[in-house]
Amino acid sequence: MIVTLTLNPSLDRTIEVDSLTRGAVIRAGGARVDPGGKGVNVSRALLANGIASRAVLPCGGDDGQRLVRLLGQEGVAVVAVRCAGATRSNVTLVEPDGTVTKINEPGGPLTAAEVDRVAAAVLQAAGGGAGSGRADWVVVCGSLPPGVPVDLYATLGRRFAAAGLRVAVDTSGPALLAAVAAGTELVKPNREELAEAVGRPLGSLRDVIDAAQELRSWGAGTVLASLGADGAVLVGPAGVVAGESPPVEPRSTVGAGDALLAGYLAAGAAGGSGAAGVAGAAALAEALAWGAAAAALPGSRMPRPADISRTHVRIHPGPDLGRPHCHPADRPTDPDGRRPARPGPLGG
Ligand SMILES: Nc1ncnc2c1ncn2[C@@H]1O[C@H](COP(=O)(O)OP(=O)(O)OP(=O)(O)O)[C@@H](O)[C@H]1O
Ligand SMILES: [Mg+2]
């Protein structure tokens, strides 16, 4: 069983517009409302694949209630901790050519007492009950709400680890650095988050692996670095594995990183060490299959078993470290304008 914690969840409104003109009255086409939040997405992905999970989140105001209701309708086991601050709502404006403009609210503030109640809810949710057993992992995801210390994930992670839980953190900036320094067992930065953490651009797989090793030298146990269409790299105590699934023409990469992390934990939940090595390679392959499937789905829809293809995932225990990355947009097209599959590991 996997418990997720989303401290700054949201009600995500997606609105289709014909075009975006500043200062104009814009008529909306379709509009939809979805539950949002990175930990929430991890729980949704696990649920869609039959793996028990509980999603712990603070919630407040009407939007908070609606968020909890929507998650309940999807079948997510939600542990909502009522808080005074209103749950935020994030707005995504989608134009016909696929251009996406996002407006994310900062979120309601959380007081120290509320954080304590949320942490207690995580420990209780992780303790088992209702036939779901004790949690293997607590996955702490997303941005921090206003008003909390920047090292809150580090503090919470230590508390969860002391209770015997394995802790994974997916966040960015100073919160990521603090979680790394606190010795978090697993962190999942994307390329930009990893580059920001080490303070330099990451042009090749070698650069990514060096940066991941740097995070490990600062305290992180295992680094699962996601690289968009270039796949992902797992750097742990047992070594390095890289891999990718064939690049898809992404419908929406929002939540692809969350699906990747869910797939990794789903594969490792059977007892894998989570480190690189044979178990790590298998978990990375599963992660890549889930990530690519999520990228091919619209919005933040999480893949179900029928969406996930494992046949074309490639794992490279000895990756060609010097190769530059090849982003889909940079990859050469054939005369019909199609992008051929890359010729070699993580580059072309
Ligand atoms: N175009 C693509 N083709 C194939 N796989 C993809 C593509 N884009 C993303 N993926 C898969 O999804 C994973 C996660 O993507 P990415 O690195 O963009 O995560 P992220 O930036 O953390 O996303 P988010 O935070 O929105 O969930 C990648 O490691 C890869 O496996
Ligand atoms: Mg991410």
Side-chain angles (χ1 to χ4, degrees):
M1 207 265 289
I2 294 168
V3 172
T4 65
L5 170 60
T6 311
L7 274 188
N8 203 9
S10 59
L11 198 61
D12 286 354
R13 295 169 204 280
T14 305
I15 303 169
E16 289 168 12
V17 295
D18 279 342
S19 70
L20 204 53
T21 315
R22 285 182 67 204
V25 174
I26 298 169
R27 279 185 212 299
R32 53 174 294 150
V33 176
D34 293 295
K38 308 221 138 275
V40 161
N41 285 343
V42 171
S43 280
R44 290 167 63 221
L46 291 168
L47 172 78
N49 289 274
I51 292 163
S53 172
R54 290 187 179 144
V56 179
L57 42 95
C59 90
D62 292 344
D63 281 350
Q65 282 185 21
R66 188 157 176 208
L67 171 66
V68 171
R69 210 168 47 240
L70 286 173
L71 285 170
Q73 282 164 6
E74 284 190 24
V76 176
V78 188
V79 179
V81 179
R82 292 241 162 263
C83 294
T87 298
R88 65 185 172 149
S89 114
N90 291 339
V91 178
T92 302
L93 302 171
V94 185
E95 292 172 76
D97 68 354
T99 306
V100 164
T101 307
K102 292 192 72 125
I103 305 168
N104 287 357
E105 290 183 1
L110 270 190
T111 65
E114 288 169 338
V115 168
D116 259 353
R117 282 178 28 231
V118 171
V122 168
L123 290 172
Q124 200 186 359
S132 58
R134 196 181 145 75
D136 308 292
W137 285 92
V138 174
V139 189
V140 183
C141 299
S143 60
L144 288 169
V148 302
V150 78
D151 62 350
L152 179 60
Y153 286 161
T155 317
L156 288 177
R158 276 198 213 94
R159 196 160 154 189
F160 300 151
L165 295 160
R166 304 177 75 177
V167 179
V169 171
D170 179 358
T171 189
S172 57
L176 170 63
L177 288 175
V180 165
T184 299
E185 179 170 350
L186 174 67
V187 291
K188 205 280 320 151
N190 64 19
R191 190 196 322 254
E192 293 71 34
E193 290 158 354
L194 185 57
E196 190 194 356
V198 296
R200 55 177 187 270
L202 306 174
S204 71
L205 185 56
R206 170 85 264 167
D207 294 343
V208 170
I209 292 167
D210 287 347
Q213 293 288 23
E214 207 162 318
L215 296 202
R216 294 195 62 242
S217 76
W218 296 342
T222 294
V223 179
L224 172 59
S226 67
L227 307 171
D230 283 318
V233 184
L234 184 65
V235 181
V240 177
V241 254
E244 79 276 334
S245 41
V248 296
E249 212 49 74
R251 303 258 307 268
S252 161
T253 60
V254 178
D258 310 328
L260 175 99
L261 180 54
Y264 179 79
L265 295 172
S273 69
V278 177
L284 179 65
E286 188 70 1
L288 289 163
W290 289 40
L297 290 169
S300 62
R301 254 183 56 198
M302 290 291 126
R304 307 187 157 270
D307 303 314
I308 298 172
S309 160
R310 296 168 179 85
T311 39
H312 299 294
V313 173
R314 297 197 308 173
I315 294 292
H316 317 286
D320 179 350
L321 303 181
R323 251 175 218 275
H325 282 167
C326 183
H327 296 273
D330 307 332
R331 209 166 288 141
T333 52
D334 67 15
D336 297 328
R338 290 186 303 245
R339 291 205 170 86
R342 74 199 77 209
L346 288 158

